[in-house]
Amino acid sequence: MNSQERVWTPYRGPFDPCPPVPFKTYVVPPNQFITFQPPNLPQFSLPEALKHGTLWPSLYSPYESKFKGVR
Amino acid sequence: MWIYEKKLQYPVRVGKCDVRMARYLMEQYGGADGELAAALRYMNQRYAIPDKVIGVLTDISTEEFAHLEMIATMIYKLTKDASVQELEAAGLGPNYAQRDHALFYQNSAGVPWTASYIQAKGDPIADLYEDIAAEEKARATYQWLIDMTDDVDLQDGLKFLREREIIHAIRFKESVQILIDEKDKKRIF
């Protein structure tokens, strides 16, 4: 679980037909905390920047499959 | 005028023969929040927006076309060698009936792309907020697609595309700030 992830628990009714999920998550990416990017932010190396999809570590948002390969 | 580079923006690898994912990837190809809708939305809005942010719309629209090419590559790789039976099992039987193995701008449910997915309100703030929302919706779609596959190679390309949507949203938010600040400057002088 990373710091961009938020967790909430859906309401559980007494007569729900299906087994309840323990919790749900959503992502709040770094763009929610930046209205205007300041200059001179630290940068990834160029190969790392391509890999991450951004030049700046502070704008990077990791995401992993919620089901970790289990369908 | 555009210059085409005969390479993808980011390498597309597909490590698993999973025709099912081809159908779901079509959501980002010809869906309401897909790359085609994004590219055409920005490319059109740029004609009626203050000069200072035209370049942002042009650049991001151009990049969305590069993303469209990546998604097309993923779909093509997953379907080019698929038999009719495999396509049918993946829910792509109707697609085969219409066009053999050809790709088409439609969403994961087979609904063809329509211009009513996109807007041009002519108000710079309204249009930019629509663009920010579109980027966040595309980011969410990429998350659900990453959830739906266990192919780490495919996930790698999708993670790149997801991050780009986050960056685009920042650039649109900065564009809003540029337009807001312009108003303040006039008042000072």
Side-chain angles (χ1 to χ4, degrees), chain A residues 31 37 51 53 59 61, chain B residues 147 156 163-164 171 173-174:
Chain A
N31 62 12
Q37 183 178 335
K51 175 83 187 152
L59 305 192
S61 172
Chain B
D147 289 345
D156 188 56
E163 176 66 30
R164 296 311 301 157
R171 301 298 169 240
K173 290 173 80 170
E174 289 169 347

Side-chain angles (χ1 to χ4, degrees), chain B residues 8-189:
Chain B
L8 295 174
Q9 188 191 8
Y10 185 84
V12 166
R13 288 278 172 84
V14 182
K16 186 181 168 189
C17 180
D18 182 9
V19 185
R20 191 187 52 97
M21 276 311 290
R23 177 181 167 194
Y24 299 136
L25 285 164
M26 286 180 184
E27 194 61 37
Q28 277 302 85
Y29 192 61
D33 307 318
E35 301 293 354
L36 180 72
L40 295 180
R41 177 190 291 115
Y42 310 148
M43 198 62 82
N44 178 65
Q45 284 179 357
R46 70 189 181 131
Y47 291 97
I49 203 129
D51 295 1
K52 282 190 169 182
V53 300
I54 290 175
V56 175
L57 288 168
T58 309
D59 288 353
I60 295 181
S61 175
T62 302
E63 188 178 339
E64 302 291 10
F65 279 116
H67 295 176
L68 189 69
E69 190 182 27
M70 286 177 63
I71 296 291
T73 304
M74 291 173 184
I75 296 171
Y76 173 72
K77 284 188 175 208
L78 286 165
T79 53
K80 74 184 178 75
D81 298 312
S83 67
V84 174
Q85 288 75 22
E86 286 168 331
L87 289 170
E88 281 191 287
L92 289 171
N95 193 72
Y96 185 86
Q98 285 179 74
R99 57 184 70 90
D100 196 330
H101 282 71
L103 276 65
F104 191 64
Y105 298 117
Q106 60 185 27
N107 71 11
S108 54
V111 179
W113 190 87
T114 167
S116 56
Y117 287 157
I118 63 176
Q119 301 275 310
K121 189 50 67 178
D123 178 88
I125 302 297
D127 279 348
L128 286 170
Y129 274 112
E130 186 207 343
D131 301 344
I132 293 166
E135 295 293 341
E136 298 295 357
K137 286 191 276 185
R139 168 184 61 81
T141 306
Y142 280 122
Q143 290 173 190
W144 316 154
L145 288 170
I146 291 166
D147 289 345
M148 292 178 89
T149 180
D150 56 2
D151 177 351
V152 290
D153 292 326
L154 187 60
Q155 284 180 345
D156 188 56
L158 294 172
K159 285 175 184 176
F160 174 87
L161 291 166
R162 174 184 172 274
E163 176 66 30
R164 296 311 301 157
E165 309 294 353
I166 292 169
I167 301 299
H168 291 169
I170 294 182
R171 301 298 169 240
F172 285 132
K173 290 173 80 170
E174 289 169 347
S175 301
V176 171
Q177 287 305 311
I178 287 169
L179 297 184
I180 291 171
D181 290 345
E182 180 70 3
K183 192 196 76 179
D184 289 339
K185 265 183 209 152
K186 276 180 189 166
R187 196 168 55 207
I188 291 164
F189 290 117

